[in-house]
Amino acid sequence: MLQKFTLQTNKRDQMIDVTDKVQDVVDQSRMKECVVVVYCPHTTAGITINENADPDVKRDMLRRFDEVYPWHHELDRHKEGNTAAHMKSSTVGASQHVIVTEGRLLLGTWQGIYFCEFDGPRTRTFYVKII
């Protein structure tokens, strides 16, 4: 089973919790024991798993990404001017695998699945595949 999602980002950098969307795909599949892959087909966005209890974690992560990969750097040569977004998405990664057991995503108490935008605002897609 493969499900495609479209979302609209509204900032240059943001982390959007997609955990419920992923769990909905698992529910629709009626699979009790499987693995789910969440995949982002963009070079300036990614998928990560991190804390979803304290919103400061997302804010701190995005701020720290900007510190490590500043948006403007005098040595960057990429004509689009979004080298930082490419660096951030490579750091986060294009996909995450999550174990499903008893029909539920096997995530830690504080974990959520995030679509990470690093070059928005844009219309984006991501895929959820049940294996």
Side-chain angles (χ1 to χ4, degrees):
M1 176 174 197
L2 177 69
Q3 179 106 21
K4 178 181 179 180
F5 290 92
T6 301
L7 55 84
Q8 181 64 49
T9 64
N10 57 22
K11 298 177 186 172
R12 185 187 75 194
D13 296 293
Q14 70 185 112
M15 295 173 67
I16 300 167
D17 189 341
V18 297
T19 310
D20 290 342
K21 292 181 184 324
V22 176
Q23 182 63 56
D24 287 346
V25 174
V26 173
D27 293 344
Q28 292 169 16
S29 76
R30 298 186 178 148
M31 298 290 292
K32 299 297 179 195
E33 303 294 325
C34 58
V35 173
V36 64
V37 178
V38 184
Y39 171 71
C40 170
H42 304 288
T43 61
T44 57
I47 303 291
T48 194
I49 296 174
N50 215 298
E51 181 173 334
N52 68 351
D54 183 347
D56 284 336
V57 172
K58 293 188 297 184
R59 283 190 286 270
D60 289 349
M61 287 181 67
L62 293 173
R63 178 182 49 78
R64 295 294 295 271
F65 277 134
D66 274 344
E67 289 174 3
V68 174
Y69 306 117
W71 194 253
H72 300 286
H73 191 287
E74 70 268 3
L75 298 179
D76 287 348
R77 298 182 68 186
H78 183 51
K79 291 182 184 191
E80 286 183 62
N82 61 354
T83 297
H86 290 279
M87 298 298 295
K88 293 172 188 180
S89 68
S90 289
T91 299
V92 167
S95 67
Q96 293 290 323
H97 297 74
V98 182
I99 297 168
V100 173
T101 188
E102 298 179 7
R104 304 298 302 164
L105 296 168
L106 185 59
L107 293 169
T109 302
W110 308 110
Q111 287 183 317
I113 305 167
Y114 289 94
F115 182 93
C116 301
E117 173 64 77
F118 297 120
D119 194 22
R122 292 179 185 244
T123 301
R124 297 294 199 170
T125 58
F126 69 95
Y127 293 89
V128 178
K129 174 74 174 172
I130 304 288
I131 300 174

